[in-house]
Amino acid sequence: MDHWLNYHHLHYFWLIAREGSLTQAAKKLRLSPSTLSTQLKQLETALETPLFHRQGRRLVLTDRGRTVLAYADEIFSLGAELREAVASESGGEGVALRTRVGVADILPRLLAWHFLEAAIDMDQEVHLVCRSDRPERLVADLALHELDIVLTDAPVGLARGVRAHTHPLGSSGVDIFAAPALAQRLRRGWPDSLAGTPMLLPSEGTTLRRTLDLWFANRKLRPLIVGEFDDSALLKAFGEAGVGCFAMASVLADDLARRYGVESVGRLEGVEERLFAVTMSRKPPHAAVRHMLAAARATLSPNEGGGPSV
Protein backbone atom coordinates (compact mmCIF):
# COMPACT_ATOMS: atom_id res chain seq x y z
CA MET A 1 0.00 0.00 0.00
CA ASP A 2 1.24 3.51 -0.85
CA HIS A 3 2.39 5.54 2.12
CA TRP A 4 0.41 8.63 1.01
CA LEU A 5 -3.32 8.52 0.41
CA ASN A 6 -4.70 10.53 -2.53
CA TYR A 7 -7.48 12.53 -0.88
CA HIS A 8 -8.91 13.62 -4.23
CA HIS A 9 -9.54 9.95 -5.03
CA LEU A 10 -10.98 9.44 -1.54
CA HIS A 11 -13.35 12.38 -2.08
CA TYR A 12 -14.50 10.91 -5.39
CA PHE A 13 -15.20 7.56 -3.70
CA TRP A 14 -17.06 9.35 -0.88
CA LEU A 15 -19.29 11.20 -3.32
CA ILE A 16 -20.03 8.04 -5.33
CA ALA A 17 -21.08 6.30 -2.11
CA ARG A 18 -23.26 9.26 -1.09
CA GLU A 19 -24.94 9.58 -4.49
CA GLY A 20 -25.32 5.81 -4.85
CA SER A 21 -24.31 6.09 -8.49
CA LEU A 22 -21.10 6.75 -10.38
CA THR A 23 -23.08 8.65 -13.04
CA GLN A 24 -24.74 10.98 -10.52
CA ALA A 25 -21.43 11.62 -8.77
CA ALA A 26 -19.81 12.41 -12.14
CA LYS A 27 -22.53 15.01 -12.83
CA LYS A 28 -21.91 16.71 -9.48
CA LEU A 29 -18.15 16.74 -10.05
CA ARG A 30 -18.54 17.72 -13.73
CA LEU A 31 -16.37 14.81 -14.77
CA SER A 32 -17.02 12.05 -17.28
CA PRO A 33 -18.11 8.70 -15.76
CA SER A 34 -15.06 7.01 -17.36
CA THR A 35 -12.68 9.50 -15.71
CA LEU A 36 -14.34 9.02 -12.35
CA SER A 37 -14.24 5.25 -12.75
CA THR A 38 -10.49 5.43 -13.40
CA GLN A 39 -9.96 7.54 -10.25
CA LEU A 40 -11.96 5.02 -8.20
CA LYS A 41 -9.87 2.10 -9.53
CA GLN A 42 -6.69 3.97 -8.57
CA LEU A 43 -7.96 4.35 -5.01
CA GLU A 44 -8.88 0.64 -4.86
CA THR A 45 -5.37 -0.20 -6.13
CA ALA A 46 -3.77 2.04 -3.49
CA LEU A 47 -5.88 0.47 -0.72
CA GLU A 48 -5.44 -3.01 -2.20
CA THR A 49 -9.13 -3.83 -1.87
CA PRO A 50 -12.35 -3.46 -3.91
CA LEU A 51 -14.68 -0.82 -2.44
CA PHE A 52 -17.85 -1.59 -4.45
CA HIS A 53 -19.41 -4.57 -6.11
CA ARG A 54 -22.14 -4.42 -8.74
CA GLN A 55 -25.68 -5.51 -7.93
CA GLY A 56 -27.57 -5.20 -11.19
CA ARG A 57 -27.05 -1.58 -12.22
CA ARG A 58 -26.30 -0.44 -8.69
CA LEU A 59 -22.95 0.00 -6.96
CA VAL A 60 -23.02 -1.55 -3.50
CA LEU A 61 -20.32 -1.00 -0.89
CA THR A 62 -18.21 -3.98 0.13
CA ASP A 63 -17.47 -4.56 3.82
CA ARG A 64 -14.11 -2.81 3.36
CA GLY A 65 -15.91 -0.07 1.40
CA ARG A 66 -18.19 0.62 4.37
CA THR A 67 -15.13 0.90 6.62
CA VAL A 68 -13.46 3.34 4.24
CA LEU A 69 -16.70 5.36 3.98
CA ALA A 70 -16.88 5.73 7.77
CA TYR A 71 -13.34 7.17 7.82
CA ALA A 72 -14.10 9.39 4.82
CA ASP A 73 -17.17 10.79 6.63
CA GLU A 74 -14.97 11.80 9.55
CA ILE A 75 -12.20 13.20 7.34
CA PHE A 76 -14.43 15.42 5.19
CA SER A 77 -16.62 16.46 8.10
CA LEU A 78 -13.51 17.63 9.95
CA GLY A 79 -12.24 19.40 6.83
CA ALA A 80 -15.54 21.27 6.47
CA GLU A 81 -15.43 22.28 10.13
CA LEU A 82 -11.90 23.63 9.60
CA ARG A 83 -12.99 25.77 6.63
CA GLU A 84 -16.04 27.09 8.43
CA ALA A 85 -14.13 27.84 11.63
CA VAL A 86 -11.49 29.82 9.73
CA ALA A 87 -14.11 31.63 7.64
CA SER A 88 -16.20 32.59 10.66
CA GLU A 89 -13.22 34.00 12.52
CA SER A 90 -11.48 35.72 9.61
CA GLY A 91 -14.39 37.74 8.26
CA GLY A 92 -13.36 41.36 8.56
CA GLU A 93 -15.52 44.44 8.72
CA GLY A 94 -17.90 44.63 5.78
CA VAL A 95 -17.45 40.95 4.90
CA ALA A 96 -20.77 39.07 5.02
CA LEU A 97 -20.75 35.64 6.67
CA ARG A 98 -22.37 33.24 4.19
CA THR A 99 -24.78 30.88 5.95
CA ARG A 100 -26.56 28.11 4.01
CA VAL A 101 -29.81 27.00 5.63
CA GLY A 102 -32.10 24.17 4.57
CA VAL A 103 -35.75 24.49 5.65
CA ALA A 104 -37.96 21.38 5.50
CA ASP A 105 -40.78 22.03 3.04
CA ILE A 106 -43.45 20.99 5.56
CA LEU A 107 -42.21 23.44 8.22
CA PRO A 108 -44.31 26.63 8.57
CA ARG A 109 -42.24 29.49 7.15
CA LEU A 110 -43.20 31.80 9.99
CA LEU A 111 -41.84 29.26 12.48
CA ALA A 112 -38.58 29.09 10.53
CA TRP A 113 -38.45 32.90 10.49
CA HIS A 114 -38.58 33.01 14.31
CA PHE A 115 -35.32 31.03 14.24
CA LEU A 116 -33.59 32.69 11.29
CA GLU A 117 -34.20 36.27 12.42
CA ALA A 118 -31.49 35.75 15.06
CA ALA A 119 -28.92 35.75 12.25
CA ILE A 120 -30.15 39.15 11.07
CA ASP A 121 -29.44 40.60 14.53
CA MET A 122 -25.76 39.57 14.57
CA ASP A 123 -23.11 42.28 14.82
CA GLN A 124 -21.43 40.82 11.75
CA GLU A 125 -23.30 41.02 8.45
CA VAL A 126 -24.78 37.66 7.44
CA HIS A 127 -25.58 36.49 3.91
CA LEU A 128 -28.36 33.90 4.26
CA VAL A 129 -28.85 31.31 1.53
CA CYS A 130 -32.12 29.45 2.20
CA ARG A 131 -33.32 26.29 0.45
CA SER A 132 -36.57 24.41 0.90
CA ASP A 133 -36.93 20.70 0.16
CA ARG A 134 -37.83 17.36 1.67
CA PRO A 135 -35.96 16.78 4.96
CA GLU A 136 -34.11 13.67 3.71
CA ARG A 137 -32.75 15.56 0.69
CA LEU A 138 -31.65 18.49 2.82
CA VAL A 139 -29.83 16.18 5.25
CA ALA A 140 -28.09 14.48 2.30
CA ASP A 141 -26.88 17.92 1.15
CA LEU A 142 -25.83 18.67 4.72
CA ALA A 143 -23.69 15.52 4.66
CA LEU A 144 -22.07 16.80 1.46
CA HIS A 145 -21.40 20.12 3.26
CA GLU A 146 -23.57 22.01 0.80
CA LEU A 147 -25.62 23.28 3.76
CA ASP A 148 -24.57 24.50 7.21
CA ILE A 149 -27.80 23.68 9.03
CA VAL A 150 -31.21 22.11 8.39
CA LEU A 151 -34.46 23.08 10.15
CA THR A 152 -37.10 20.39 10.44
CA ASP A 153 -40.03 19.24 12.59
CA ALA A 154 -38.64 15.84 13.58
CA PRO A 155 -35.35 14.35 14.83
CA VAL A 156 -33.08 12.99 12.11
CA GLY A 157 -31.71 9.46 12.47
CA LEU A 158 -28.64 7.92 10.91
CA ALA A 159 -30.08 7.78 7.40
CA ARG A 160 -27.67 6.41 4.80
CA GLY A 161 -24.87 6.55 7.36
CA VAL A 162 -25.10 10.33 7.83
CA ARG A 163 -23.60 11.18 11.21
CA ALA A 164 -25.76 14.22 11.78
CA HIS A 165 -26.48 15.80 15.15
CA THR A 166 -30.02 16.90 16.04
CA HIS A 167 -30.48 19.95 18.28
CA PRO A 168 -33.97 20.24 19.88
CA LEU A 169 -34.93 23.93 19.79
CA GLY A 170 -38.33 23.85 21.39
CA SER A 171 -42.02 23.24 20.84
CA SER A 172 -45.28 25.13 20.69
CA GLY A 173 -48.86 24.18 21.33
CA VAL A 174 -51.06 23.85 18.25
CA ASP A 175 -54.24 25.88 17.65
CA ILE A 176 -56.97 25.66 15.06
CA PHE A 177 -57.11 28.86 12.97
CA ALA A 178 -59.85 30.07 10.64
CA ALA A 179 -61.17 33.15 8.87
CA PRO A 180 -63.35 35.24 11.26
CA ALA A 181 -66.80 33.97 10.16
CA LEU A 182 -65.76 30.31 10.34
CA ALA A 183 -63.86 30.89 13.60
CA GLN A 184 -66.96 32.36 15.23
CA ARG A 185 -69.03 29.34 14.23
CA LEU A 186 -66.40 26.85 15.44
CA ARG A 187 -66.14 28.43 18.90
CA ARG A 188 -69.70 27.30 19.62
CA GLY A 189 -69.44 23.76 20.98
CA TRP A 190 -65.62 23.60 20.71
CA PRO A 191 -63.99 21.15 20.03
CA ASP A 192 -66.94 18.97 18.95
CA SER A 193 -67.72 21.69 16.41
CA LEU A 194 -64.79 20.37 14.34
CA ALA A 195 -66.89 17.34 13.30
CA GLY A 196 -67.86 17.77 9.66
CA THR A 197 -66.08 21.15 9.41
CA PRO A 198 -64.08 21.88 6.21
CA MET A 199 -60.42 21.45 7.09
CA LEU A 200 -57.05 22.04 5.44
CA LEU A 201 -54.34 19.58 6.49
CA PRO A 202 -50.59 19.15 5.97
CA SER A 203 -49.77 16.28 3.62
CA GLU A 204 -49.70 12.67 4.83
CA GLY A 205 -46.44 11.44 6.30
CA THR A 206 -45.57 14.71 8.06
CA THR A 207 -45.13 14.71 11.82
CA LEU A 208 -47.95 17.19 12.43
CA ARG A 209 -50.35 15.27 10.16
CA ARG A 210 -49.76 12.01 12.04
CA THR A 211 -50.36 13.79 15.36
CA LEU A 212 -53.55 15.45 14.09
CA ASP A 213 -54.92 12.17 12.70
CA LEU A 214 -54.35 10.51 16.09
CA TRP A 215 -55.96 13.45 17.94
CA PHE A 216 -59.11 13.28 15.81
CA ALA A 217 -59.28 9.48 16.02
CA ASN A 218 -58.99 9.49 19.84
CA ARG A 219 -61.89 11.95 20.08
CA LYS A 220 -63.95 10.24 17.37
CA LEU A 221 -64.17 13.48 15.40
CA ARG A 222 -64.20 13.46 11.60
CA PRO A 223 -63.63 16.84 9.96
CA LEU A 224 -64.36 17.28 6.25
CA ILE A 225 -60.92 17.31 4.58
CA VAL A 226 -61.07 19.74 1.68
CA GLY A 227 -57.34 20.07 1.00
CA GLU A 228 -53.93 18.56 1.78
CA PHE A 229 -50.78 20.63 1.26
CA ASP A 230 -47.00 20.21 1.13
CA ASP A 231 -46.65 24.00 1.03
CA SER A 232 -47.68 25.66 4.30
CA ALA A 233 -47.91 29.08 2.62
CA LEU A 234 -50.50 27.78 0.16
CA LEU A 235 -52.41 26.13 3.01
CA LYS A 236 -52.59 29.47 4.86
CA ALA A 237 -53.75 31.25 1.71
CA PHE A 238 -56.70 28.83 1.43
CA GLY A 239 -57.40 29.36 5.12
CA GLU A 240 -57.39 33.14 4.63
CA ALA A 241 -59.97 32.73 1.86
CA GLY A 242 -62.28 30.87 4.29
CA VAL A 243 -62.08 27.54 2.45
CA GLY A 244 -61.45 25.70 5.71
CA CYS A 245 -59.81 25.81 9.12
CA PHE A 246 -56.24 24.64 9.72
CA ALA A 247 -53.87 23.66 12.54
CA MET A 248 -50.66 25.58 13.21
CA ALA A 249 -48.28 26.46 16.04
CA SER A 250 -50.01 28.70 18.59
CA VAL A 251 -46.85 30.82 18.88
CA LEU A 252 -47.66 32.13 15.39
CA ALA A 253 -51.12 33.45 16.34
CA ASP A 254 -50.17 37.14 16.17
CA ASP A 255 -48.31 36.73 12.87
CA LEU A 256 -51.15 34.76 11.32
CA ALA A 257 -53.71 37.34 12.41
CA ARG A 258 -51.64 40.21 11.01
CA ARG A 259 -50.63 38.58 7.71
CA TYR A 260 -53.63 36.38 6.90
CA GLY A 261 -56.49 37.85 8.93
CA VAL A 262 -57.27 34.48 10.58
CA GLU A 263 -58.16 33.92 14.23
CA SER A 264 -57.30 31.26 16.77
CA VAL A 265 -60.35 29.13 17.55
CA GLY A 266 -58.89 26.96 20.29
CA ARG A 267 -55.94 24.83 21.43
CA LEU A 268 -55.63 21.14 20.53
CA GLU A 269 -54.78 19.58 23.88
CA GLY A 270 -51.73 17.31 23.73
CA VAL A 271 -50.66 18.37 20.21
CA GLU A 272 -47.31 20.11 19.70
CA GLU A 273 -45.35 21.57 16.79
CA ARG A 274 -41.65 20.90 17.38
CA LEU A 275 -38.59 22.53 15.86
CA PHE A 276 -35.19 20.89 15.43
CA ALA A 277 -31.89 22.03 13.94
CA VAL A 278 -29.61 19.47 12.30
CA THR A 279 -25.86 19.97 11.84
CA MET A 280 -22.92 17.74 11.03
CA SER A 281 -21.14 18.69 14.25
CA ARG A 282 -22.38 18.52 17.82
CA LYS A 283 -20.77 21.93 18.38
CA PRO A 284 -21.17 23.76 15.06
CA PRO A 285 -18.09 25.87 14.24
CA HIS A 286 -20.04 28.24 12.00
CA ALA A 287 -20.50 31.51 13.93
CA ALA A 288 -23.95 32.35 12.52
CA VAL A 289 -25.24 28.84 13.24
CA ARG A 290 -23.96 29.01 16.83
CA HIS A 291 -25.63 32.40 17.23
CA MET A 292 -28.99 31.14 15.92
CA LEU A 293 -28.92 28.08 18.18
CA ALA A 294 -28.03 30.15 21.25
CA ALA A 295 -30.68 32.79 20.49
CA ALA A 296 -33.38 30.14 20.05
CA ARG A 297 -32.53 28.42 23.33
CA ALA A 298 -32.38 31.74 25.19
CA THR A 299 -36.04 32.38 24.34
CA LEU A 300 -37.31 28.94 25.39
CA SER A 301 -39.23 28.36 28.62
CA PRO A 302 -40.92 25.23 30.05
CA ASN A 303 -44.43 24.70 28.74
CA GLU A 304 -47.36 22.84 30.25
CA GLY A 305 -46.01 19.53 29.05
CA GLY A 306 -42.69 20.06 30.82
CA GLY A 307 -40.73 20.53 27.58
CA PRO A 308 -39.44 23.72 25.96
CA SER A 309 -41.80 26.19 24.36
CA VAL A 310 -40.99 28.53 21.47
Side-chain angles (χ1 to χ4, degrees), residues 171 272 302-309:
S171 63
E272 289 185 335
N303 62 12
E304 295 174 356
S309 145

Side-chain angles (χ1 to χ4, degrees), residues 167-180:
H167 309 265
L169 297 178
S171 63
S172 168
V174 172
D175 288 11
I176 292 294
F177 294 89

Side-chain angles (χ1 to χ4, degrees), residues 45-58:
T45 299
L47 294 176
E48 299 178 353
T49 186
L51 301 174
F52 294 99
H53 63 82
R54 286 206 168 270
Q55 196 172 83
R57 294 185 177 182
R58 295 173 56 240

Side-chain angles (χ1 to χ4, degrees), residues 17 29 40 44 53 104 107-108 129 135 154 170 200 202 251 293 304 306:
L29 292 166
L40 176 62
E44 291 178 324
H53 63 82
L107 197 67
V129 179
L200 310 165
V251 71
L293 290 173
E304 295 174 356

Side-chain angles (χ1 to χ4, degrees), residues 190-230:
W190 171 263
D192 293 339
S193 57
L194 288 171
T197 294
M199 189 157 194
L200 310 165
L201 289 173
S203 59
E204 290 187 352
T206 61
T207 303
L208 181 58
R209 175 62 182 273
R210 288 192 293 268
T211 306
L212 290 173
D213 286 346
L214 181 61
W215 191 90
F216 283 117
N218 287 341
R219 286 157 182 79
K220 296 181 172 59
L221 294 174
R222 295 184 62 184
L224 175 63
I225 301 173
V226 295
E228 301 179 56
F229 301 84
D230 287 327

Side-chain angles (χ1 to χ4, degrees), residues 5-309:
L5 181 64
N6 187 316
Y7 286 94
H8 287 293
H9 294 170
L10 183 65
H11 182 259
Y12 297 157
F13 155 76
W14 182 69
L15 195 57
I16 294 168
R18 288 283 165 224
E19 291 296 312
S21 161
L22 192 145
T23 302
Q24 290 301 317
K27 286 181 181 178
K28 270 192 172 285
L29 292 166
R30 297 182 180 178
L31 297 173
S32 69
S34 60
T35 298
L36 192 55
S37 177
T38 299
Q39 306 294 326
L40 176 62
K41 287 177 182 176
Q42 289 179 9
L43 178 64
E44 291 178 324
T45 299
L47 294 176
E48 299 178 353
T49 186
L51 301 174
F52 294 99
H53 63 82
R54 286 206 168 270
Q55 196 172 83
R57 294 185 177 182
R58 295 173 56 240
L59 283 177
V60 179
L61 286 165
T62 63
D63 289 341
R64 293 278 181 88
R66 284 191 289 271
T67 299
V68 173
L69 179 60
Y71 278 99
D73 281 338
E74 296 288 345
I75 289 168
F76 295 119
S77 178
L78 188 60
E81 289 181 20
L82 171 61
R83 290 196 307 272
E84 291 165 359
V86 172
S88 65
E89 293 175 7
S90 63
E93 186 176 352
V95 178
L97 182 59
R98 186 179 177 89
T99 308
R100 303 158 302 172
V101 182
V103 180
D105 51 11
I106 41 73
L107 197 67
R109 297 299 177 265
L110 291 175
L111 194 59
W113 161 249
H114 278 278
F115 176 77
L116 293 173
E117 66 177 335
I120 308 300
D121 295 331
M122 284 184 65
D123 293 335
Q124 183 177 351
E125 184 179 351
V126 174
H127 175 179
L128 280 176
V129 179
C130 296
R131 284 186 47 210
S132 178
D133 206 334
R134 289 160 46 191
E136 58 271 22
R137 289 181 179 173
L138 294 174
V139 172
D141 288 339
L142 181 72
L144 293 170
H145 305 289
E146 294 176 1
L147 293 172
D148 300 305
I149 188 169
V150 170
L151 298 180
T152 185
D153 68 338
V156 173
L158 297 179
R160 296 181 63 190
V162 176
R163 299 186 178 187
H165 297 278
T166 300
H167 309 265
L169 297 178
S171 63
S172 168
V174 172
D175 288 11
I176 292 294
F177 294 89
L182 180 56
Q184 185 176 3
R185 178 166 67 82
L186 286 175
R187 290 190 185 102
R188 295 192 294 269
W190 171 263
D192 293 339
S193 57
L194 288 171
T197 294
M199 189 157 194
L200 310 165
L201 289 173
S203 59
E204 290 187 352
T206 61
T207 303
L208 181 58
R209 175 62 182 273
R210 288 192 293 268
T211 306
L212 290 173
D213 286 346
L214 181 61
W215 191 90
F216 283 117
N218 287 341
R219 286 157 182 79
K220 296 181 172 59
L221 294 174
R222 295 184 62 184
L224 175 63
I225 301 173
V226 295
E228 301 179 56
F229 301 84
D230 287 327
D231 188 328
S232 63
L234 188 58
L235 182 151
K236 292 192 286 284
F238 272 74
E240 179 184 19
V243 175
C245 63
F246 60 93
M248 201 150 287
S250 54
V251 71
L252 303 177
D254 290 342
D255 286 328
L256 290 171
R258 183 173 61 256
R259 300 187 188 198
Y260 296 93
V262 295
E263 301 175 359
S264 171
V265 179
R267 181 72 51 87
L268 298 181
E269 184 180 353
V271 179
E272 289 185 335
E273 179 86 284
R274 304 173 73 191
L275 182 63
F276 296 87
V278 186
T279 66
M280 288 303 294
S281 172
R282 192 174 297 278
K283 295 182 178 180
H286 195 295
V289 172
R290 292 199 307 269
H291 186 81
M292 286 187 282
L293 290 173
R297 289 180 176 133
T299 63
L300 303 183
S301 58
N303 62 12
E304 295 174 356
S309 145

